[in-house]
Amino acid sequence: MIKIENPQAWYEAIQIRRSRRAFNGKPVEQAIIEELEDIYNNFNKQVTGARIVVVQENADEAFKGIIGSYGKIKGAPAYIAFVGDMDDTNVQEKVGYLGEAAILEATVKGLGTCWVAGFFRPTIVAKHTEIKENEKVLAITPIGYTEQVKTTEEKLMSDMAGSHKRKPLEELYTGLPKQQWSSWVEPALEAARIAPSAVNRQPWRFLVKEQAVTVLLDREFNLYRISKRLDCGIAMLHLEVAALVKGITGGWTLLEDPEIAKFEVSKQ
């Protein structure tokens, strides 16, 4: 859905990025903010129904705490809002895809991030982003600098969410048996498998066919208000980035429940 200029850097960011909630308060340099805004504005022009907004306000007032003070975003000098047009049928996956593009680019720039889709103050964020009619802020992320080692609170939240536990790939795909896959498929699915999701629920499933992968929803009940389709949009971007790194270009066709989107290899 967007032109990915530096897939190798994003692929490396996928491997190293971890959610961070504690920031040291150091401002993000204005040159980096302006560079991110230019990149994000270019993304916004390529995708309808979703957009990225950088907010240089005191980010602390935008976030709510989780379980008292634990899990609260602290010390972030700025944040990014992910806005969706709620009249768009595929708004959730578009916001997930576009939002993860923003997060990976911020990671490449050395900034810490954390997907937050449920615990922020929507009225404050809406004011900062000047949302239009029929738009809604679906998620935000703080951006800023963090210490190398996570704080005790951050480690606790990671443990509570089971952030490091992932379903094995064998539980996530159907279709062609692995021995018949093209060489790009397994690294692409592995990149999608480690995508972040709300409470690490990993709602994506993959249907593998000849030169194509369809992303589908799992059949488990959604216990949270956060759309599973948003999570799947994040996995879509990871899949595409890894395919590009392996020399494969392709395009997405957006689908309807319970399917999300189909990635097909471009004809050479």
Side-chain angles (χ1 to χ4, degrees):
M1 287 190 288
I2 62 172
K3 184 178 180 180
I4 300 171
E5 300 287 353
N6 194 348
Q8 182 63 44
W10 282 15
Y11 185 70
E12 292 171 6
I14 286 170
Q15 312 304 320
I16 66 172
R17 181 197 164 270
R18 299 291 183 270
S19 294
R20 299 303 302 267
R21 296 175 175 84
F23 297 80
N24 62 18
K26 177 185 174 183
V28 179
E29 294 84 347
Q30 192 59 31
I32 292 179
I33 291 290
E34 291 175 1
E35 187 175 356
L36 287 175
E37 288 180 326
D38 286 344
I39 293 169
Y40 297 164
N41 287 337
N42 184 40
F43 292 166
N44 291 342
K45 294 175 183 177
Q46 297 178 59
V47 178
T48 60
R51 61 188 179 98
I52 308 164
V53 182
V54 179
V55 181
Q56 295 187 74
E57 304 279 348
N58 180 0
D60 285 346
E61 69 175 353
F63 295 92
K64 296 179 181 178
I66 307 171
I67 315 176
S69 63
Y70 288 104
K72 185 175 178 62
I73 306 297
K74 299 177 181 178
Y79 69 94
I80 305 170
F82 306 129
V83 183
D85 180 350
M86 303 312 291
D87 288 338
D88 190 307
T89 303
N90 301 102
V91 62
Q92 297 286 349
E93 51 266 44
K94 286 183 177 181
V95 166
Y97 177 98
L98 199 62
E100 185 68 357
I103 281 179
L104 292 181
E105 187 61 35
T107 303
V108 171
K109 298 284 191 293
L111 301 175
T113 59
C114 180
W115 270 100
V116 180
F119 292 90
F120 64 90
R121 295 183 171 92
T123 54
I124 290 175
V125 176
K127 179 180 66 175
H128 290 167
T129 55
E130 298 181 356
I131 63 171
K132 305 170 186 176
E133 187 177 1
N134 301 323
E135 285 188 331
K136 182 178 180 181
V137 179
L138 297 182
I140 63 178
T141 177
I143 54 172
Y145 296 104
T146 64
E147 302 303 328
Q148 186 172 1
V149 178
K150 284 188 174 185
T151 67
T152 301
E153 290 183 8
E154 288 181 298
K155 292 177 181 178
L156 175 63
M157 288 304 300
S158 294
D159 290 344
M160 289 174 62
S163 299
H164 306 301
K165 298 177 182 178
R166 300 286 180 177
K167 295 182 176 74
L169 187 56
E170 286 69 26
E171 294 182 12
L172 300 177
Y173 77 87
T174 56
L176 285 179
K178 188 178 288 189
Q179 59 267 28
Q180 295 181 27
W181 290 1
S182 298
S183 60
W184 64 272
V185 174
E186 185 167 3
L189 295 191
E190 280 292 342
R193 184 181 74 89
I194 64 173
S197 60
V199 294
N200 197 33
R201 58 189 174 180
Q202 306 159 63
W204 40 75
R205 298 296 181 268
F206 309 107
L207 174 61
V208 182
K209 293 189 176 181
E210 188 74 29
Q211 300 300 306
V213 174
T214 299
V215 181
L216 312 104
L217 286 173
D218 65 16
R219 298 178 180 274
E220 297 178 16
F221 182 73
N222 187 1
L223 296 174
Y224 305 93
R225 295 181 181 179
I226 303 167
S227 171
K228 290 183 177 183
R229 297 183 76 92
L230 189 150
D231 291 343
C232 288
I234 299 172
M236 285 168 56
L237 184 72
H238 282 210
L239 188 155
E240 184 179 356
V241 167
L244 281 169
V245 167
K246 297 303 176 182
I248 298 298
T249 58
W252 289 101
T253 301
L254 299 176
L255 306 169
E256 298 180 358
D257 282 337
E259 298 179 330
I260 300 297
K262 183 178 183 180
F263 180 82
E264 292 184 276
V265 175
S266 301
K267 295 181 179 179
Q268 303 298 323

